[in-house]
């Protein structure tokens, strides 16, 4: 890891500054795990014996923000570009969890005790970036070397405190391609039904991270194995028990760097594909955004349109590409993985790829030859047939049957039964 990383450099500076002021300061948690795995941490967390107010005083109020004041977490803004923010948290133990989500109180403590409140051994280590030494009170290095996700302390007690840890266990196991320790997995299996005390937002955040990761298949298989899948997505139960489940898993595996929406749609693709309400309902329950919800729902319920793409009228295909912009390629991708997983033919997918590559946007969605305003100007009264007429003209244009406004008006006359001046269609 090079010191030229501005983020890392800033995280070292934060530690030095705290040390110079006489405090203990260490990197903690996920960044230590990532460093030991030879990966670039996404962010650096610092743990210290300085109290939150002391941290703010030392770094100045302008450069800091209390994010979880009651938990003793202060965000320090990096001054250089690319330095990002560093989270500084005071070593703490957590009081009792009454609601299965967050502790009633926290108390400041030693690093050893702080390690005990963390979720998994591989996430419970500290690193001294000045001396370049690891402080490991929980045998995290052993589990990291063995590739094991193990709860710190009694897994049942730890999952009872915070049920989200159950999903985190699945995510870390899958994304690192580790094994889950047997007592840890057994505890998840027993407590899985209680997952729902956690907010749907936090559940879907974990689900997102699992699904965008290349090991998404492992994540979903493990979630099923420890009974979390049936709790967070009960609608999948029938599919999971059917022959189609292996197709779903293969499809998930075949996706190349999908967005969350594409991966989620793949997971849900055979849950009542003819009924948008079911898919939309799942997305709403998971508190996904409207954009996410609509894209997932359309992917599941409209992906079949492309099965027969080479034989569709051009107007229908062009309308489809236009209405699914700018994410029309997701529809091709879900078809690609579905075709591969069912050993179906890729000819429709290849047709779509070729079509989009070779066809300019101006041909897929050209300016209309005749607009509603044009019709009104010629004395047509907006009414039920009005839109139908416009649609017919548009179809003729997109199908290449007409190419000029004159041809459009000729067709309008024809559709009006030949009477040149039908003013009230
Ligand atoms: P990632 O950022 O990849 O999710 P991470 O381990 O850094 O991994 P964070 O959510 O950023 O995860 O949390 C930082 C650290 O805080 C963790 O490494 C762990 O020590 C601790 N931690 C986070 N969430 C929990 C939790 N729900 N229960 C106990 N400890 C936790
Ligand atoms: Mg992190």
């Amino acid at each position: 890891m090079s010191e030229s990383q501005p983020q890392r450099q800033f995280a070292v500076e934060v530690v030095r500054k705290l040390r110079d002021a006489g405090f203990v300061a260490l990197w903690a948690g996920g960044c230590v795990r990532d460093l030991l795995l030879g990966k670039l941490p996404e962010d650096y967390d610092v743990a210290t014996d300085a109290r939150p107010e002391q941290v703010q005083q030392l770094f100045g109020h302008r450069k800091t923000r209390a994010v979880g004041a009651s938990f003793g977490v202060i965000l320090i803004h990096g001054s250089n570009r690319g330095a990002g923010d560093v989270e500084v948290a005071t070593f703490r133990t957590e009081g009792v969890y009454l609601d299965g989500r967050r502790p009633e109180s926290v108390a400041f403590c030693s690093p050893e005790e702080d390690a005990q409140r963390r979720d998994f051994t591989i996430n419970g280590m500290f690193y001294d970036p000045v001396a370049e030494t690891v402080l490991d009170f929980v045998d995290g290095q052993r589990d990291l070397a063995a590739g094991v996700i193990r709860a710190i302390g009694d897994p049942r007690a730890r999952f009872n405190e915070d049920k989200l840890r159950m999903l985190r266990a699945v995510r870390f196991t899958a994304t690192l391609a580790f094994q889950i320790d047997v007592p840890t997995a057994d505890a998840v299996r027993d407590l899985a039904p209680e997952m729902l005390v956690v907010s749907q937002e936090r559940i879907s955040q974990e689900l997102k991270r699992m699904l965008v990761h290349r090991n998404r298949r492992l994540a979903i298989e493990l979630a099923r194995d420890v009974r979390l899948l049936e709790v967070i997505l009960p609608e999948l139960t029938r599919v999971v028990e059917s022959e189609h489940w292996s197709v779903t898993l293969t499809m998930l595996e075949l996706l190349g760097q999908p967005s969350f929406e594409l991966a989620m749609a793949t997971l849900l693709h055979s849950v009542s594909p003819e009924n948008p309400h079911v898919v939309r309902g799942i997305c709403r329950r998971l508190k996904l955004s409207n954009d996410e919800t609509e894209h997932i729902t359309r992917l599941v319920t409209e992906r079949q349109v492309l099965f027969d793409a080479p034989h569709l009228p051009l107007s229908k295909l062009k309308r489809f590409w236009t209405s699914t912009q700018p994410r029309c390629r997701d529809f091709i991708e879900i078809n690609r993985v579905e075709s591969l997983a069912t050993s179906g033919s890729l000819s429709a997918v290849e047709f779509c790829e070729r079509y989009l590559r070779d066809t300019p946007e101006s041909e897929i969605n050209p300016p209309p030859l005749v607009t509603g305003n044009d019709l009104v100007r010629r004395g047509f009264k907006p009414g039920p047939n009005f839109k139908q007429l416009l649609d017919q003209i548009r179809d003729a244009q997109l199908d290449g049957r007409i190419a000029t406004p004159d041809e459009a008006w000729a067709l309008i006359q024809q559709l009006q039964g030949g009477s040149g001046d039908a003013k009230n269609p």
Side-chain angles (χ1 to χ4, degrees):
M1 214 71 23
S2 113
E3 284 291 327
S4 68
Q5 299 288 344
Q7 225 192 336
R8 180 191 168 106
Q9 216 165 7
F10 180 53
V12 176
E13 269 171 43
V14 170
V15 165
R16 281 190 199 278
K17 189 158 173 157
L18 283 158
R19 296 264 179 94
D20 290 347
F23 297 111
V24 177
L26 297 162
W27 289 353
C31 64
V32 181
R33 173 201 69 218
D34 289 346
L35 285 171
L36 294 175
L37 285 169
K39 290 201 253 181
L40 193 65
E42 262 174 46
D43 39 46
Y44 293 83
D45 294 331
V46 170
T48 181
D49 63 350
R51 301 299 157 104
E53 3 15 295
Q54 293 174 311
V55 175
Q56 281 204 292
Q57 199 161 30
L58 184 62
F59 289 88
H61 281 265
R62 272 195 311 132
K63 286 196 170 167
T64 57
R65 190 160 58 88
V67 279
S70 56
F71 298 108
V73 182
I74 305 289
L75 211 60
I76 321 274
H77 306 304
S79 30
N80 297 336
R81 275 211 315 146
D85 292 340
V86 167
E87 237 180 67
V88 177
T90 307
F91 297 125
R92 66 178 192 263
T93 55
E94 294 177 341
V96 287
Y97 282 67
L98 294 181
D99 61 357
R101 289 178 303 219
R102 53 181 63 84
E104 287 297 293
S105 61
V106 303
F108 299 129
C109 67
S110 66
E112 288 96 318
E113 290 169 299
D114 180 286
Q116 299 303 318
R117 70 157 175 97
R118 295 175 183 271
D119 48 8
F120 306 108
T121 58
I122 64 161
N123 289 344
M125 294 177 277
F126 301 99
Y127 183 74
D128 177 340
V130 180
E132 302 189 353
T133 51
V134 178
L135 273 87
D136 180 3
F137 305 107
V138 294
D139 281 339
Q141 288 173 103
R142 178 199 63 194
D143 286 341
L144 206 52
V148 173
I149 297 299
R150 184 193 316 272
I152 293 173
D154 172 17
R156 227 164 281 264
R158 303 313 309 286
F159 294 140
N160 256 320
E161 287 169 357
D162 178 0
K163 318 292 198 244
L164 187 73
R165 289 173 189 156
M166 298 194 277
L167 260 188
R168 283 174 60 91
V170 172
R171 168 163 67 89
F172 287 118
T173 304
T175 56
L176 294 169
F178 277 18
Q179 298 292 316
I180 186 166
D181 156 65
V182 171
T184 301
D186 287 345
V188 177
R189 230 171 257 119
D190 288 352
L191 296 171
E194 296 182 38
M195 187 69 224
L196 294 181
V197 305
V198 171
S199 74
Q200 293 283 342
E201 286 91 339
R202 290 176 82 204
I203 291 175
S204 46
Q205 217 172 4
E206 285 297 321
L207 192 60
K208 277 182 195 181
R209 298 188 64 175
M210 291 187 221
L211 283 175
V212 297
H213 194 275
R214 70 190 132 73
N215 293 351
R216 67 193 73 83
R217 174 186 179 142
L218 280 178
I220 295 301
E221 284 184 298
L222 181 58
R224 182 207 173 178
D225 181 41
V226 295
R227 307 216 180 116
L228 281 174
L229 192 64
E230 64 198 68
V231 175
I232 59 175
L233 289 170
E235 296 85 352
L236 272 175
T237 304
R238 262 215 344 261
V239 184
V240 167
E241 286 162 0
S242 75
E243 281 174 13
H244 198 72
W245 185 235
S246 67
V247 171
T248 303
L249 292 174
T250 306
M251 286 170 66
L252 283 172
E253 193 172 6
L254 287 170
L255 290 171
Q257 300 199 317
S259 62
F260 159 66
E261 294 92 317
L262 176 55
M264 184 71 175
T266 304
L267 178 62
L268 299 178
H269 79 278
S270 57
V271 178
S272 94
E274 64 296 324
N275 186 352
H277 300 303
V278 175
V279 180
R280 200 173 280 124
I282 296 172
C283 297
R284 294 234 188 285
R285 184 183 69 231
L286 286 166
K287 301 278 189 328
L288 304 184
S289 73
N290 288 342
D291 275 358
E292 289 168 330
T293 300
E294 286 319 303
H295 191 48
I296 292 166
T297 305
R298 288 196 70 183
L299 278 168
V300 172
T301 57
E302 293 179 45
R303 66 182 210 291
Q304 293 102 325
V305 170
L306 294 185
F307 287 173
D308 204 28
H311 307 110
L312 286 181
L314 272 180
S315 52
K316 180 149 191 202
L317 200 58
K318 287 177 177 177
R319 282 180 192 277
F320 184 77
W321 295 134
T322 301
S323 78
T324 54
Q325 278 288 17
R327 310 184 74 181
C328 54
R329 276 168 207 282
D330 283 353
F331 289 82
I332 303 183
E333 177 65 0
I334 198 168
N335 268 275
R336 186 183 71 87
V337 296
E338 188 163 12
S339 302
L340 288 172
T342 55
S343 50
S345 151
L346 277 179
S347 63
V349 168
E350 283 162 0
F351 170 86
C352 292
E353 277 165 355
R354 229 177 306 123
Y355 185 85
L356 286 183
R357 190 193 58 212
D358 297 341
T359 317
E361 171 62 23
S362 58
E363 196 175 312
I364 295 173
N365 187 20
L369 295 172
V370 167
T371 66
N373 281 342
D374 295 333
L375 288 184
V376 171
R377 227 174 287 126
R378 293 218 183 176
F380 285 80
K381 292 222 163 51
N385 298 332
F386 196 82
K387 182 176 178 307
Q388 201 191 345
L389 188 60
L390 280 174
D391 281 347
Q392 284 174 307
I393 302 304
R394 183 66 172 164
D395 280 348
Q397 179 186 9
L398 295 177
D399 285 334
R401 285 182 278 126
I402 57 173
T404 64
D406 283 348
E407 286 172 343
W409 287 113
L411 180 60
I412 289 170
Q413 285 187 0
Q414 202 184 319
L415 291 168
Q416 291 294 299
S419 75
D421 49 8
K423 299 289 185 205
N424 204 350

